[in-house]
Amino acid sequence: MDEAPNSTIHPACLQEPPLAIDVIKQLDVFDFCLYSVLTLMSCISLLLYLEQCIYIYKKLPYPKKTTIIWINGAAPVIATMSCFGMWIPRAVMFTDMTSNCYFAVVVYKVLVLMIEELGGSNAFLQRFSGKTFRINTGPCCCCCLCLPRVPMSRRLLFWLKLGALQYAILKTVLSVLAIVLWTNGNFDLSDLEITGTAIWINPFIGVLTIISLWPVAIIFMNTNSFLRSLKIVPKYAMYQLVLVLSQLQTSIINILALDGTIACAPPFSSQARGSMLSQQMMIMEMFIITLVNRFLFRRTYEALPSETVDNDHNAKAELQPAVMEHDV
């Protein structure tokens, strides 16, 4: 009696993801056109990124150009890896690891970019040393309004950088560990038992992600008013959008697939079909973000004036009315 419901389940719903040749064989006209268009989108994203790299390398000074090249690569890299995962479902573990590890570095590079736009670490400290920074920002402490403002110092800047850098390092280490365990059959996203490795590794990665996003948010919330002429707000918004789409959206789809909400469609199991839908959506979204980033980072901007220049300009503005009144 207990085995009766399982007898109605299609065998493909209990199998591993299909091979690439099986995916190609089951494509009808509509699916073939869809896969072709999505592949073309990912190729265009990659070509636009390569052309953007050449432009940035020629027009911008070091080290800012390497930082911008890293940040611009987030959307094209994710789109390219999603294209591989769409055509080769059994490689999704590797493509997702590559995308997530790359984006972990981008989180740190966004923080570095804001510091570089202000002249580098030394100029940043000269401008803000002793000034108090808000730390009650998301995603950790956005509701803790009672937190005191913290004075900026070299030590605080070091801890902010370290907080973002730890994610790039530990995410890569844990992803490699997950791949090793997966090849040995010890890592399974569908295994939610307390003895499973996925139930321990994934939440720990989530905690590391939140910790790394906090320093970036602190720097942005306290410096965005100085960087508005450099279009830092839309650039930061694009970075946040990539974060939400590549992490939160994918997690939601995976949960729905594990729950059985996304039904299996032979030769795809529920998990494989959810992963396929996620890859297809990611390609379209990253293609649009690539186009937007191209306009945001294409133009070059003059360096921001130093704090001494700002103070001299303000002093002259205050003295000018008094001089004119004396002459009258």
Side-chain angles (χ1 to χ4, degrees):
M1 295 295 292
D2 294 335
E3 296 180 356
N6 293 332
S7 62
T8 62
I9 298 177
H10 195 282
C13 296
L14 305 175
Q15 293 176 357
E16 295 181 348
L19 297 172
I21 187 65
D22 296 327
V23 174
I24 296 174
K25 287 180 179 179
Q26 63 89 35
L27 292 180
D28 55 20
V29 176
F30 174 78
D31 291 332
F32 184 79
C33 293
L34 176 63
Y35 274 55
S36 299
V37 171
L38 293 176
T39 303
L40 180 63
M41 282 185 176
S42 62
C43 291
I44 293 175
S45 298
L46 188 59
L47 291 175
L48 289 176
Y49 171 61
L50 294 176
E51 190 274 335
Q52 183 81 335
C53 288
I54 297 173
Y55 175 84
I56 293 172
Y57 188 81
K58 291 180 179 179
K59 298 293 184 179
L60 297 181
Y62 179 84
K64 186 188 296 185
K65 60 184 176 184
T66 57
T67 304
I68 293 179
I69 286 174
W70 267 99
I71 296 174
N72 268 271
V77 167
I78 294 175
T80 304
M81 290 298 104
S82 297
C83 184
F84 284 128
M86 179 182 67
W87 284 104
I88 311 174
R90 293 196 180 185
V92 166
M93 190 75 178
F94 298 92
T95 57
D96 285 351
M97 184 200 73
T98 304
S99 299
N100 292 334
C101 290
Y102 187 96
F103 187 76
V105 178
V106 169
V107 173
Y108 172 70
K109 290 295 183 179
V110 170
L111 183 144
V112 172
L113 175 64
M114 290 185 284
I115 295 175
E116 289 296 333
E117 294 286 18
L118 289 163
S121 297
N122 292 331
F124 181 88
L125 290 172
Q126 288 179 2
R127 184 187 290 263
F128 297 107
S129 183
K131 295 182 180 178
T132 56
F133 270 35
R134 257 184 70 195
I135 62 172
N136 56 337
T137 62
C140 288
C141 302
C142 54
C143 299
C144 303
L145 301 178
C146 59
L147 285 178
R149 298 174 69 94
V150 178
M152 174 53 63
S153 64
R154 188 172 296 274
R155 180 182 293 274
L156 177 59
L157 182 60
F158 168 78
W159 283 111
L160 291 175
K161 287 184 175 181
L162 184 63
L165 182 61
Q166 54 82 24
Y167 180 55
I169 298 173
L170 295 178
K171 171 64 177 178
T172 304
V173 172
L174 292 174
S175 295
V176 172
L177 176 62
I179 288 290
V180 172
L181 294 175
W182 175 74
T183 56
N184 195 47
N186 301 116
F187 186 88
D188 185 5
L189 292 175
S190 61
D191 183 11
L192 302 179
E193 299 292 333
I194 194 67
T195 55
T197 55
I199 200 66
W200 292 99
I201 292 178
N202 288 340
F204 184 61
I205 291 177
V207 172
L208 295 178
T209 305
I210 293 174
I211 293 174
S212 68
L213 296 177
W214 192 27
V216 182
I218 290 174
I219 294 293
F220 173 76
M221 291 300 295
N222 290 277
T223 63
N224 70 83
S225 59
F226 299 92
L227 299 174
R228 289 187 182 274
S229 62
L230 305 182
K231 308 297 182 183
I232 195 62
V233 175
K235 290 176 183 177
Y236 187 80
M238 288 298 103
Y239 144 77
Q240 291 278 4
L241 187 58
V242 174
L243 169 68
V244 171
L245 294 176
S246 64
Q247 305 296 320
L248 185 59
Q249 175 184 271
T250 303
S251 299
I252 292 174
I253 293 177
N254 289 336
I255 292 172
L256 293 176
L258 290 174
D259 188 55
T261 304
I262 298 178
C264 72
F268 293 98
S269 63
S270 297
Q271 250 183 294
R273 186 161 178 253
S275 177
M276 179 195 65
L277 294 175
S278 176
Q279 309 295 333
Q280 293 176 347
M281 292 172 61
M282 202 73 67
I283 292 173
M284 293 184 287
E285 293 158 353
M286 294 302 121
F287 174 73
I288 296 173
I289 292 176
T290 300
L291 296 178
V292 175
N293 279 341
R294 177 179 172 83
F295 288 105
L296 291 177
F297 289 93
R298 186 69 179 180
R299 54 183 298 190
T300 57
Y301 302 92
E302 296 181 0
L304 291 176
S306 62
E307 186 178 16
T308 55
V309 174
D310 291 341
N311 293 337
D312 292 343
H313 182 270
N314 293 336
K316 290 179 180 179
E318 292 175 357
L319 290 175
Q320 186 175 3
V323 173
M324 293 178 61
E325 182 178 0
H326 179 74
D327 292 340
V328 173

